[in-house]
Amino acid sequence: MKDCKESKTPTERGNLIIPNQTDSTESEVQHKPIRELIGSLMYLMLATRPDLSTAVNIYSRYQQNPSEQVWMGLKRILRYLKGTANFELFYPKNSEIELVGFADADCAGDQEDRKSTTGYLSGYLYK
């Protein structure tokens, strides 16, 4: 991943993940560090990179029996991190700040088992 091509987004739009249909002991993906990578991405998401939350949430659902598509999606997140390593949050001094919040829900949006996804965003709005 050191010499990989950068990605502009952490996931593809409308990405439909197909769960692994093979026996979990036969799959090559089972030998890849998927859980460790998801755990590391969750730490980044909670500590410094809130822009990863949706992507990490989507791929963390498939930890139990991951497919090659999940592994490729996680590698895309790493390529996104490589391209955005110099991004930072900036809070200027002496500015009017207003706390704002947004919420959204996707009712039964998971094509496999019809689970819903909810999310919220809160932050500061500078005037």
Side-chain angles (χ1 to χ4, degrees):
M1 297 296 301
K2 188 176 184 180
D3 299 323
C4 67
K5 182 179 176 184
E6 299 171 359
S7 175
K8 294 186 185 282
T9 59
T11 58
E12 296 176 18
R13 184 174 182 204
N15 188 13
L16 178 64
I17 299 172
I18 301 169
N20 194 358
Q21 302 295 328
T22 62
D23 184 19
S24 62
T25 59
E26 297 175 7
S27 176
E28 279 186 26
V29 181
Q30 296 297 325
H31 302 292
K32 296 181 179 173
I34 290 180
R35 290 180 187 214
E36 292 85 353
L37 179 54
I38 289 175
S40 298
L41 291 172
M42 282 186 169
Y43 177 77
L44 277 176
M45 172 189 77
L46 293 172
T48 61
R49 297 297 300 258
D51 54 334
L52 300 177
S53 60
T54 300
V56 174
N57 178 16
I58 290 169
Y59 291 113
S60 66
R61 296 176 188 175
Y62 300 97
Q63 293 184 70
Q64 186 65 30
N65 195 14
S67 63
E68 186 67 28
Q69 186 181 11
V70 172
W71 179 245
M72 297 301 291
L74 291 170
K75 288 186 354 183
R76 181 184 174 104
I77 296 173
L78 293 177
R79 290 194 313 270
Y80 171 73
L81 285 171
K82 181 181 180 188
T84 59
N86 294 326
F87 283 15
E88 57 186 34
L89 296 174
F90 177 68
Y91 298 106
K93 280 186 179 180
N94 304 330
S95 63
E96 283 190 41
I97 299 175
E98 180 182 349
L99 180 63
V100 294
F102 303 95
D104 194 10
D106 178 21
C107 184
D110 188 353
Q111 298 295 323
E112 182 183 346
D113 54 8
R114 309 296 294 164
K115 289 182 182 172
S116 300
T117 302
T118 59
Y120 64 91
L121 172 71
S122 60
Y124 296 106
L125 181 65
Y126 295 102
K127 293 183 179 183

PDB file of all heavy atoms in Angstrom, residues 1-2 4-11 33-34 36-38 40-41 44 49 52 55-56 59 70-85:
ATOM      1  N   MET A   1       0.819  -1.195   0.000  1.00  0.00           N
ATOM      2  CA  MET A   1       0.000   0.000   0.000  1.00  0.00           C
ATOM      3  C   MET A   1       0.865   1.263   0.000  1.00  0.00           C
ATOM      4  O   MET A   1       0.338   2.337  -0.149  1.00  0.00           O
ATOM      5  CB  MET A   1      -0.916   0.026   1.227  1.00  0.00           C
ATOM      6  CG  MET A   1      -1.925  -1.092   1.325  1.00  0.00           C
ATOM      7  SD  MET A   1      -3.168  -1.156   0.046  1.00  0.00           S
ATOM      8  CE  MET A   1      -3.965   0.381   0.162  1.00  0.00           C
ATOM      9  N   LYS A   2       2.148   1.098   0.144  1.00  0.00           N
ATOM     10  CA  LYS A   2       3.035   2.255   0.198  1.00  0.00           C
ATOM     11  C   LYS A   2       3.053   3.032  -1.113  1.00  0.00           C
ATOM     12  O   LYS A   2       3.068   4.251  -1.119  1.00  0.00           O
ATOM     13  CB  LYS A   2       4.440   1.775   0.550  1.00  0.00           C
ATOM     14  CG  LYS A   2       5.418   2.860   0.827  1.00  0.00           C
ATOM     15  CD  LYS A   2       6.745   2.267   1.247  1.00  0.00           C
ATOM     16  CE  LYS A   2       7.729   3.328   1.616  1.00  0.00           C
ATOM     17  NZ  LYS A   2       9.012   2.750   2.014  1.00  0.00           N
ATOM     18  N   CYS A   4       0.644   2.869  -3.524  1.00  0.00           N
ATOM     19  CA  CYS A   4      -0.669   2.743  -4.140  1.00  0.00           C
ATOM     20  C   CYS A   4      -1.157   4.077  -4.716  1.00  0.00           C
ATOM     21  O   CYS A   4      -0.669   5.145  -4.370  1.00  0.00           O
ATOM     22  CB  CYS A   4      -1.674   2.220  -3.127  1.00  0.00           C
ATOM     23  SG  CYS A   4      -2.012   3.364  -1.787  1.00  0.00           S
ATOM     24  N   LYS A   5      -2.149   3.976  -5.570  1.00  0.00           N
ATOM     25  CA  LYS A   5      -2.788   5.150  -6.148  1.00  0.00           C
ATOM     26  C   LYS A   5      -3.788   5.704  -5.128  1.00  0.00           C
ATOM     27  O   LYS A   5      -4.522   4.955  -4.488  1.00  0.00           O
ATOM     28  CB  LYS A   5      -3.517   4.752  -7.431  1.00  0.00           C
ATOM     29  CG  LYS A   5      -4.177   5.882  -8.145  1.00  0.00           C
ATOM     30  CD  LYS A   5      -4.847   5.383  -9.414  1.00  0.00           C
ATOM     31  CE  LYS A   5      -5.602   6.497 -10.077  1.00  0.00           C
ATOM     32  NZ  LYS A   5      -6.331   6.017 -11.264  1.00  0.00           N
ATOM     33  N   GLU A   6      -3.831   7.021  -4.983  1.00  0.00           N
ATOM     34  CA  GLU A   6      -4.717   7.652  -4.007  1.00  0.00           C
ATOM     35  C   GLU A   6      -6.167   7.601  -4.481  1.00  0.00           C
ATOM     36  O   GLU A   6      -6.441   7.548  -5.671  1.00  0.00           O
ATOM     37  CB  GLU A   6      -4.285   9.094  -3.788  1.00  0.00           C
ATOM     38  CG  GLU A   6      -2.890   9.214  -3.240  1.00  0.00           C
ATOM     39  CD  GLU A   6      -2.396  10.648  -3.227  1.00  0.00           C
ATOM     40  OE1 GLU A   6      -3.127  11.552  -3.666  1.00  0.00           O
ATOM     41  OE2 GLU A   6      -1.271  10.862  -2.771  1.00  0.00           O
ATOM     42  N   SER A   7      -7.088   7.635  -3.531  1.00  0.00           N
ATOM     43  CA  SER A   7      -8.511   7.653  -3.818  1.00  0.00           C
ATOM     44  C   SER A   7      -9.111   8.945  -3.282  1.00  0.00           C
ATOM     45  O   SER A   7      -8.713   9.436  -2.234  1.00  0.00           O
ATOM     46  CB  SER A   7      -9.180   6.444  -3.150  1.00  0.00           C
ATOM     47  OG  SER A   7     -10.571   6.497  -3.316  1.00  0.00           O
ATOM     48  N   LYS A   8     -10.083   9.497  -4.011  1.00  0.00           N
ATOM     49  CA  LYS A   8     -10.699  10.760  -3.597  1.00  0.00           C
ATOM     50  C   LYS A   8     -11.830  10.557  -2.595  1.00  0.00           C
ATOM     51  O   LYS A   8     -12.214  11.486  -1.902  1.00  0.00           O
ATOM     52  CB  LYS A   8     -11.210  11.515  -4.812  1.00  0.00           C
ATOM     53  CG  LYS A   8     -10.095  11.984  -5.725  1.00  0.00           C
ATOM     54  CD  LYS A   8     -10.652  12.851  -6.824  1.00  0.00           C
ATOM     55  CE  LYS A   8      -9.595  13.239  -7.812  1.00  0.00           C
ATOM     56  NZ  LYS A   8      -8.734  14.292  -7.364  1.00  0.00           N
ATOM     57  N   THR A   9     -12.398   9.359  -2.533  1.00  0.00           N
ATOM     58  CA  THR A   9     -13.488   9.063  -1.608  1.00  0.00           C
ATOM     59  C   THR A   9     -13.203   7.741  -0.891  1.00  0.00           C
ATOM     60  O   THR A   9     -12.554   6.856  -1.457  1.00  0.00           O
ATOM     61  CB  THR A   9     -14.837   8.942  -2.343  1.00  0.00           C
ATOM     62  OG1 THR A   9     -14.740   7.907  -3.323  1.00  0.00           O
ATOM     63  CG2 THR A   9     -15.220  10.253  -3.013  1.00  0.00           C
ATOM     64  N   PRO A  10     -13.706   7.578   0.332  1.00  0.00           N
ATOM     65  CA  PRO A  10     -13.445   6.322   1.051  1.00  0.00           C
ATOM     66  C   PRO A  10     -14.234   5.127   0.522  1.00  0.00           C
ATOM     67  O   PRO A  10     -13.815   3.988   0.693  1.00  0.00           O
ATOM     68  CB  PRO A  10     -13.818   6.638   2.496  1.00  0.00           C
ATOM     69  CG  PRO A  10     -14.650   7.846   2.444  1.00  0.00           C
ATOM     70  CD  PRO A  10     -14.334   8.574   1.187  1.00  0.00           C
ATOM     71  N   THR A  11     -15.378   5.352  -0.116  1.00  0.00           N
ATOM     72  CA  THR A  11     -16.158   4.257  -0.706  1.00  0.00           C
ATOM     73  C   THR A  11     -16.732   4.712  -2.038  1.00  0.00           C
ATOM     74  O   THR A  11     -16.803   5.892  -2.326  1.00  0.00           O
ATOM     75  CB  THR A  11     -17.348   3.838   0.192  1.00  0.00           C
ATOM     76  OG1 THR A  11     -18.179   4.968   0.414  1.00  0.00           O
ATOM     77  CG2 THR A  11     -16.900   3.245   1.483  1.00  0.00           C
ATOM     78  N   PRO A  33      -5.759  -9.621   7.591  1.00  0.00           N
ATOM     79  CA  PRO A  33      -6.035  -8.948   8.879  1.00  0.00           C
ATOM     80  C   PRO A  33      -7.210  -7.972   8.805  1.00  0.00           C
ATOM     81  O   PRO A  33      -7.082  -6.779   9.075  1.00  0.00           O
ATOM     82  CB  PRO A  33      -4.717  -8.220   9.154  1.00  0.00           C
ATOM     83  CG  PRO A  33      -4.176  -7.916   7.799  1.00  0.00           C
ATOM     84  CD  PRO A  33      -4.557  -9.095   6.948  1.00  0.00           C
ATOM     85  N   ILE A  34      -8.388  -8.492   8.479  1.00  0.00           N
ATOM     86  CA  ILE A  34      -9.558  -7.630   8.295  1.00  0.00           C
ATOM     87  C   ILE A  34     -10.013  -7.033   9.616  1.00  0.00           C
ATOM     88  O   ILE A  34     -10.262  -5.830   9.714  1.00  0.00           O
ATOM     89  CB  ILE A  34     -10.691  -8.415   7.603  1.00  0.00           C
ATOM     90  CG1 ILE A  34     -10.273  -8.671   6.156  1.00  0.00           C
ATOM     91  CG2 ILE A  34     -12.005  -7.673   7.681  1.00  0.00           C
ATOM     92  CD1 ILE A  34     -11.257  -9.424   5.332  1.00  0.00           C
ATOM     93  N   GLU A  36      -8.345  -6.581  12.376  1.00  0.00           N
ATOM     94  CA  GLU A  36      -7.332  -5.655  12.886  1.00  0.00           C
ATOM     95  C   GLU A  36      -7.393  -4.329  12.142  1.00  0.00           C
ATOM     96  O   GLU A  36      -7.286  -3.258  12.737  1.00  0.00           O
ATOM     97  CB  GLU A  36      -5.932  -6.260  12.751  1.00  0.00           C
ATOM     98  CG  GLU A  36      -5.689  -7.451  13.650  1.00  0.00           C
ATOM     99  CD  GLU A  36      -6.176  -8.776  13.058  1.00  0.00           C
ATOM    100  OE1 GLU A  36      -6.829  -8.772  11.979  1.00  0.00           O
ATOM    101  OE2 GLU A  36      -5.914  -9.818  13.675  1.00  0.00           O
ATOM    102  N   LEU A  37      -7.586  -4.397  10.825  1.00  0.00           N
ATOM    103  CA  LEU A  37      -7.677  -3.173  10.026  1.00  0.00           C
ATOM    104  C   LEU A  37      -8.924  -2.380  10.385  1.00  0.00           C
ATOM    105  O   LEU A  37      -8.866  -1.158  10.542  1.00  0.00           O
ATOM    106  CB  LEU A  37      -7.670  -3.515   8.530  1.00  0.00           C
ATOM    107  CG  LEU A  37      -7.776  -2.348   7.567  1.00  0.00           C
ATOM    108  CD1 LEU A  37      -6.705  -1.304   7.837  1.00  0.00           C
ATOM    109  CD2 LEU A  37      -7.700  -2.842   6.137  1.00  0.00           C
ATOM    110  N   ILE A  38     -10.049  -3.056  10.550  1.00  0.00           N
ATOM    111  CA  ILE A  38     -11.281  -2.356  10.934  1.00  0.00           C
ATOM    112  C   ILE A  38     -11.117  -1.723  12.310  1.00  0.00           C
ATOM    113  O   ILE A  38     -11.537  -0.587  12.533  1.00  0.00           O
ATOM    114  CB  ILE A  38     -12.493  -3.306  10.888  1.00  0.00           C
ATOM    115  CG1 ILE A  38     -12.830  -3.630   9.431  1.00  0.00           C
ATOM    116  CG2 ILE A  38     -13.701  -2.695  11.583  1.00  0.00           C
ATOM    117  CD1 ILE A  38     -13.923  -4.642   9.241  1.00  0.00           C
ATOM    118  N   SER A  40      -8.329  -0.641  13.679  1.00  0.00           N
ATOM    119  CA  SER A  40      -7.453   0.519  13.521  1.00  0.00           C
ATOM    120  C   SER A  40      -8.195   1.684  12.877  1.00  0.00           C
ATOM    121  O   SER A  40      -8.032   2.841  13.275  1.00  0.00           O
ATOM    122  CB  SER A  40      -6.238   0.156  12.675  1.00  0.00           C
ATOM    123  OG  SER A  40      -5.488  -0.838  13.314  1.00  0.00           O
ATOM    124  N   LEU A  41      -9.025   1.377  11.869  1.00  0.00           N
ATOM    125  CA  LEU A  41      -9.804   2.432  11.223  1.00  0.00           C
ATOM    126  C   LEU A  41     -10.841   3.026  12.170  1.00  0.00           C
ATOM    127  O   LEU A  41     -11.118   4.229  12.131  1.00  0.00           O
ATOM    128  CB  LEU A  41     -10.475   1.893   9.961  1.00  0.00           C
ATOM    129  CG  LEU A  41      -9.545   1.558   8.799  1.00  0.00           C
ATOM    130  CD1 LEU A  41     -10.305   0.849   7.688  1.00  0.00           C
ATOM    131  CD2 LEU A  41      -8.859   2.804   8.285  1.00  0.00           C
ATOM    132  N   LEU A  44      -9.019   5.525  14.340  1.00  0.00           N
ATOM    133  CA  LEU A  44      -8.818   6.766  13.585  1.00  0.00           C
ATOM    134  C   LEU A  44     -10.118   7.554  13.463  1.00  0.00           C
ATOM    135  O   LEU A  44     -10.141   8.772  13.609  1.00  0.00           O
ATOM    136  CB  LEU A  44      -8.301   6.456  12.183  1.00  0.00           C
ATOM    137  CG  LEU A  44      -6.829   6.223  12.013  1.00  0.00           C
ATOM    138  CD1 LEU A  44      -6.527   5.843  10.577  1.00  0.00           C
ATOM    139  CD2 LEU A  44      -6.043   7.449  12.411  1.00  0.00           C
ATOM    140  N   ARG A  49     -10.533  11.245  12.559  1.00  0.00           N
ATOM    141  CA  ARG A  49     -11.036  11.249  11.188  1.00  0.00           C
ATOM    142  C   ARG A  49     -12.526  10.905  11.126  1.00  0.00           C
ATOM    143  O   ARG A  49     -12.920   9.803  10.759  1.00  0.00           O
ATOM    144  CB  ARG A  49     -10.257  10.245  10.340  1.00  0.00           C
ATOM    145  CG  ARG A  49      -8.773  10.511  10.176  1.00  0.00           C
ATOM    146  CD  ARG A  49      -8.504  11.814   9.458  1.00  0.00           C
ATOM    147  NE  ARG A  49      -9.072  11.868   8.135  1.00  0.00           N
ATOM    148  CZ  ARG A  49      -8.404  11.695   7.012  1.00  0.00           C
ATOM    149  NH1 ARG A  49      -7.114  11.476   7.041  1.00  0.00           N
ATOM    150  NH2 ARG A  49      -9.016  11.768   5.852  1.00  0.00           N
ATOM    151  N   LEU A  52     -14.405   9.136   8.030  1.00  0.00           N
ATOM    152  CA  LEU A  52     -14.353   7.699   7.753  1.00  0.00           C
ATOM    153  C   LEU A  52     -15.528   6.930   8.329  1.00  0.00           C
ATOM    154  O   LEU A  52     -15.673   5.737   8.068  1.00  0.00           O
ATOM    155  CB  LEU A  52     -13.067   7.097   8.332  1.00  0.00           C
ATOM    156  CG  LEU A  52     -11.745   7.636   7.832  1.00  0.00           C
ATOM    157  CD1 LEU A  52     -10.607   6.962   8.575  1.00  0.00           C
ATOM    158  CD2 LEU A  52     -11.617   7.430   6.351  1.00  0.00           C
ATOM    159  N   ALA A  55     -17.964   4.788   5.937  1.00  0.00           N
ATOM    160  CA  ALA A  55     -17.271   3.691   5.262  1.00  0.00           C
ATOM    161  C   ALA A  55     -16.897   2.583   6.239  1.00  0.00           C
ATOM    162  O   ALA A  55     -17.104   1.393   5.957  1.00  0.00           O
ATOM    163  CB  ALA A  55     -16.023   4.217   4.559  1.00  0.00           C
ATOM    164  N   VAL A  56     -16.367   2.948   7.394  1.00  0.00           N
ATOM    165  CA  VAL A  56     -15.976   1.944   8.382  1.00  0.00           C
ATOM    166  C   VAL A  56     -17.213   1.209   8.905  1.00  0.00           C
ATOM    167  O   VAL A  56     -17.198  -0.009   9.095  1.00  0.00           O
ATOM    168  CB  VAL A  56     -15.183   2.588   9.533  1.00  0.00           C
ATOM    169  CG1 VAL A  56     -14.910   1.586  10.635  1.00  0.00           C
ATOM    170  CG2 VAL A  56     -13.872   3.154   9.008  1.00  0.00           C
ATOM    171  N   TYR A  59     -18.312  -1.493   6.220  1.00  0.00           N
ATOM    172  CA  TYR A  59     -17.455  -2.678   6.101  1.00  0.00           C
ATOM    173  C   TYR A  59     -17.342  -3.454   7.408  1.00  0.00           C
ATOM    174  O   TYR A  59     -17.053  -4.651   7.385  1.00  0.00           O
ATOM    175  CB  TYR A  59     -16.074  -2.283   5.578  1.00  0.00           C
ATOM    176  CG  TYR A  59     -16.133  -1.842   4.140  1.00  0.00           C
ATOM    177  CD1 TYR A  59     -15.879  -0.525   3.784  1.00  0.00           C
ATOM    178  CD2 TYR A  59     -16.487  -2.734   3.141  1.00  0.00           C
ATOM    179  CE1 TYR A  59     -15.954  -0.119   2.458  1.00  0.00           C
ATOM    180  CE2 TYR A  59     -16.567  -2.332   1.817  1.00  0.00           C
ATOM    181  CZ  TYR A  59     -16.301  -1.030   1.489  1.00  0.00           C
ATOM    182  OH  TYR A  59     -16.389  -0.636   0.186  1.00  0.00           O
ATOM    183  N   VAL A  70     -15.039  -6.948   0.463  1.00  0.00           N
ATOM    184  CA  VAL A  70     -14.825  -6.223   1.718  1.00  0.00           C
ATOM    185  C   VAL A  70     -13.352  -5.849   1.855  1.00  0.00           C
ATOM    186  O   VAL A  70     -13.009  -4.714   2.214  1.00  0.00           O
ATOM    187  CB  VAL A  70     -15.311  -7.059   2.928  1.00  0.00           C
ATOM    188  CG1 VAL A  70     -14.921  -6.404   4.230  1.00  0.00           C
ATOM    189  CG2 VAL A  70     -16.807  -7.270   2.859  1.00  0.00           C
ATOM    190  N   TRP A  71     -12.464  -6.788   1.561  1.00  0.00           N
ATOM    191  CA  TRP A  71     -11.027  -6.509   1.645  1.00  0.00           C
ATOM    192  C   TRP A  71     -10.634  -5.391   0.682  1.00  0.00           C
ATOM    193  O   TRP A  71      -9.875  -4.494   1.028  1.00  0.00           O
ATOM    194  CB  TRP A  71     -10.246  -7.785   1.368  1.00  0.00           C
ATOM    195  CG  TRP A  71      -8.769  -7.614   1.407  1.00  0.00           C
ATOM    196  CD1 TRP A  71      -7.909  -7.759   0.362  1.00  0.00           C
ATOM    197  CD2 TRP A  71      -7.957  -7.265   2.530  1.00  0.00           C
ATOM    198  NE1 TRP A  71      -6.621  -7.524   0.768  1.00  0.00           N
ATOM    199  CE2 TRP A  71      -6.625  -7.216   2.098  1.00  0.00           C
ATOM    200  CE3 TRP A  71      -8.237  -6.987   3.865  1.00  0.00           C
ATOM    201  CZ2 TRP A  71      -5.574  -6.896   2.945  1.00  0.00           C
ATOM    202  CZ3 TRP A  71      -7.186  -6.668   4.713  1.00  0.00           C
ATOM    203  CH2 TRP A  71      -5.877  -6.632   4.256  1.00  0.00           C
ATOM    204  N   MET A  72     -11.162  -5.422  -0.534  1.00  0.00           N
ATOM    205  CA  MET A  72     -10.859  -4.381  -1.518  1.00  0.00           C
ATOM    206  C   MET A  72     -11.410  -3.029  -1.055  1.00  0.00           C
ATOM    207  O   MET A  72     -10.781  -1.987  -1.256  1.00  0.00           O
ATOM    208  CB  MET A  72     -11.444  -4.748  -2.888  1.00  0.00           C
ATOM    209  CG  MET A  72     -10.855  -6.011  -3.487  1.00  0.00           C
ATOM    210  SD  MET A  72      -9.075  -5.945  -3.720  1.00  0.00           S
ATOM    211  CE  MET A  72      -8.975  -4.762  -5.027  1.00  0.00           C
ATOM    212  N   GLY A  73     -12.577  -3.032  -0.423  1.00  0.00           N
ATOM    213  CA  GLY A  73     -13.150  -1.789   0.094  1.00  0.00           C
ATOM    214  C   GLY A  73     -12.319  -1.198   1.226  1.00  0.00           C
ATOM    215  O   GLY A  73     -12.140   0.020   1.310  1.00  0.00           O
ATOM    216  N   LEU A  74     -11.803  -2.057   2.089  1.00  0.00           N
ATOM    217  CA  LEU A  74     -10.942  -1.577   3.173  1.00  0.00           C
ATOM    218  C   LEU A  74      -9.633  -1.018   2.634  1.00  0.00           C
ATOM    219  O   LEU A  74      -9.128  -0.007   3.139  1.00  0.00           O
ATOM    220  CB  LEU A  74     -10.679  -2.710   4.171  1.00  0.00           C
ATOM    221  CG  LEU A  74     -11.887  -3.145   4.999  1.00  0.00           C
ATOM    222  CD1 LEU A  74     -11.568  -4.415   5.762  1.00  0.00           C
ATOM    223  CD2 LEU A  74     -12.329  -2.047   5.936  1.00  0.00           C
ATOM    224  N   LYS A  75      -9.111  -1.638   1.588  1.00  0.00           N
ATOM    225  CA  LYS A  75      -7.900  -1.102   0.973  1.00  0.00           C
ATOM    226  C   LYS A  75      -8.176   0.244   0.302  1.00  0.00           C
ATOM    227  O   LYS A  75      -7.316   1.120   0.284  1.00  0.00           O
ATOM    228  CB  LYS A  75      -7.327  -2.103  -0.031  1.00  0.00           C
ATOM    229  CG  LYS A  75      -6.708  -3.294   0.668  1.00  0.00           C
ATOM    230  CD  LYS A  75      -5.971  -4.296  -0.171  1.00  0.00           C
ATOM    231  CE  LYS A  75      -5.957  -4.212  -1.619  1.00  0.00           C
ATOM    232  NZ  LYS A  75      -5.244  -5.313  -2.285  1.00  0.00           N
ATOM    233  N   ARG A  76      -9.396   0.436  -0.198  1.00  0.00           N
ATOM    234  CA  ARG A  76      -9.764   1.738  -0.773  1.00  0.00           C
ATOM    235  C   ARG A  76      -9.744   2.815   0.302  1.00  0.00           C
ATOM    236  O   ARG A  76      -9.329   3.946   0.063  1.00  0.00           O
ATOM    237  CB  ARG A  76     -11.128   1.655  -1.443  1.00  0.00           C
ATOM    238  CG  ARG A  76     -11.544   2.974  -2.067  1.00  0.00           C
ATOM    239  CD  ARG A  76     -12.944   2.910  -2.645  1.00  0.00           C
ATOM    240  NE  ARG A  76     -13.361   4.203  -3.111  1.00  0.00           N
ATOM    241  CZ  ARG A  76     -13.411   4.551  -4.391  1.00  0.00           C
ATOM    242  NH1 ARG A  76     -13.057   3.689  -5.318  1.00  0.00           N
ATOM    243  NH2 ARG A  76     -13.823   5.753  -4.728  1.00  0.00           N
ATOM    244  N   ILE A  77     -10.199   2.484   1.509  1.00  0.00           N
ATOM    245  CA  ILE A  77     -10.149   3.448   2.610  1.00  0.00           C
ATOM    246  C   ILE A  77      -8.704   3.832   2.905  1.00  0.00           C
ATOM    247  O   ILE A  77      -8.391   4.999   3.148  1.00  0.00           O
ATOM    248  CB  ILE A  77     -10.845   2.888   3.865  1.00  0.00           C
ATOM    249  CG1 ILE A  77     -12.337   2.676   3.604  1.00  0.00           C
ATOM    250  CG2 ILE A  77     -10.655   3.825   5.055  1.00  0.00           C
ATOM    251  CD1 ILE A  77     -13.076   1.975   4.720  1.00  0.00           C
ATOM    252  N   LEU A  78      -7.804   2.854   2.869  1.00  0.00           N
ATOM    253  CA  LEU A  78      -6.385   3.155   3.088  1.00  0.00           C
ATOM    254  C   LEU A  78      -5.827   4.065   1.990  1.00  0.00           C
ATOM    255  O   LEU A  78      -5.037   4.967   2.259  1.00  0.00           O
ATOM    256  CB  LEU A  78      -5.579   1.866   3.180  1.00  0.00           C
ATOM    257  CG  LEU A  78      -5.853   0.982   4.395  1.00  0.00           C
ATOM    258  CD1 LEU A  78      -5.044  -0.297   4.310  1.00  0.00           C
ATOM    259  CD2 LEU A  78      -5.572   1.726   5.678  1.00  0.00           C
ATOM    260  N   ARG A  79      -6.271   3.845   0.745  1.00  0.00           N
ATOM    261  CA  ARG A  79      -5.832   4.725  -0.343  1.00  0.00           C
ATOM    262  C   ARG A  79      -6.387   6.139  -0.149  1.00  0.00           C
ATOM    263  O   ARG A  79      -5.724   7.127  -0.456  1.00  0.00           O
ATOM    264  CB  ARG A  79      -6.261   4.158  -1.695  1.00  0.00           C
ATOM    265  CG  ARG A  79      -5.491   2.907  -2.077  1.00  0.00           C
ATOM    266  CD  ARG A  79      -5.668   2.527  -3.532  1.00  0.00           C
ATOM    267  NE  ARG A  79      -7.042   2.535  -3.996  1.00  0.00           N
ATOM    268  CZ  ARG A  79      -7.861   1.474  -3.942  1.00  0.00           C
ATOM    269  NH1 ARG A  79      -7.433   0.340  -3.444  1.00  0.00           N
ATOM    270  NH2 ARG A  79      -9.078   1.558  -4.394  1.00  0.00           N
ATOM    271  N   TYR A  80      -7.609   6.233   0.371  1.00  0.00           N
ATOM    272  CA  TYR A  80      -8.198   7.539   0.677  1.00  0.00           C
ATOM    273  C   TYR A  80      -7.392   8.244   1.768  1.00  0.00           C
ATOM    274  O   TYR A  80      -7.127   9.442   1.686  1.00  0.00           O
ATOM    275  CB  TYR A  80      -9.654   7.358   1.116  1.00  0.00           C
ATOM    276  CG  TYR A  80     -10.296   8.608   1.660  1.00  0.00           C
ATOM    277  CD1 TYR A  80     -10.662   9.647   0.813  1.00  0.00           C
ATOM    278  CD2 TYR A  80     -10.541   8.750   3.020  1.00  0.00           C
ATOM    279  CE1 TYR A  80     -11.247  10.792   1.309  1.00  0.00           C
ATOM    280  CE2 TYR A  80     -11.123   9.886   3.522  1.00  0.00           C
ATOM    281  CZ  TYR A  80     -11.479  10.909   2.661  1.00  0.00           C
ATOM    282  OH  TYR A  80     -12.058  12.043   3.163  1.00  0.00           O
ATOM    283  N   LEU A  81      -6.992   7.492   2.785  1.00  0.00           N
ATOM    284  CA  LEU A  81      -6.182   8.079   3.857  1.00  0.00           C
ATOM    285  C   LEU A  81      -4.838   8.578   3.333  1.00  0.00           C
ATOM    286  O   LEU A  81      -4.337   9.611   3.777  1.00  0.00           O
ATOM    287  CB  LEU A  81      -5.963   7.056   4.976  1.00  0.00           C
ATOM    288  CG  LEU A  81      -7.161   6.794   5.872  1.00  0.00           C
ATOM    289  CD1 LEU A  81      -6.877   5.614   6.793  1.00  0.00           C
ATOM    290  CD2 LEU A  81      -7.525   8.022   6.656  1.00  0.00           C
ATOM    291  N   LYS A  82      -4.265   7.842   2.405  1.00  0.00           N
ATOM    292  CA  LYS A  82      -3.001   8.286   1.832  1.00  0.00           C
ATOM    293  C   LYS A  82      -3.175   9.624   1.113  1.00  0.00           C
ATOM    294  O   LYS A  82      -2.335  10.511   1.209  1.00  0.00           O
ATOM    295  CB  LYS A  82      -2.463   7.242   0.862  1.00  0.00           C
ATOM    296  CG  LYS A  82      -1.138   7.646   0.253  1.00  0.00           C
ATOM    297  CD  LYS A  82      -0.627   6.640  -0.718  1.00  0.00           C
ATOM    298  CE  LYS A  82       0.703   7.137  -1.287  1.00  0.00           C
ATOM    299  NZ  LYS A  82       1.162   6.304  -2.377  1.00  0.00           N
ATOM    300  N   GLY A  83      -4.284   9.784   0.394  1.00  0.00           N
ATOM    301  CA  GLY A  83      -4.526  11.016  -0.348  1.00  0.00           C
ATOM    302  C   GLY A  83      -4.936  12.190   0.508  1.00  0.00           C
ATOM    303  O   GLY A  83      -4.851  13.341   0.082  1.00  0.00           O
ATOM    304  N   THR A  84      -5.410  11.919   1.727  1.00  0.00           N
ATOM    305  CA  THR A  84      -5.894  13.002   2.593  1.00  0.00           C
ATOM    306  C   THR A  84      -5.080  13.115   3.874  1.00  0.00           C
ATOM    307  O   THR A  84      -5.562  13.652   4.867  1.00  0.00           O
ATOM    308  CB  THR A  84      -7.378  12.780   2.944  1.00  0.00           C
ATOM    309  OG1 THR A  84      -7.521  11.525   3.614  1.00  0.00           O
ATOM    310  CG2 THR A  84      -8.254  12.817   1.710  1.00  0.00           C
ATOM    311  N   ALA A  85      -3.857  12.644   3.860  1.00  0.00           N
ATOM    312  CA  ALA A  85      -3.023  12.652   5.068  1.00  0.00           C
ATOM    313  C   ALA A  85      -2.738  14.071   5.563  1.00  0.00           C
ATOM    314  O   ALA A  85      -2.545  14.279   6.760  1.00  0.00           O
ATOM    315  CB  ALA A  85      -1.719  11.918   4.810  1.00  0.00           C
TER     316      ALA A  85
END
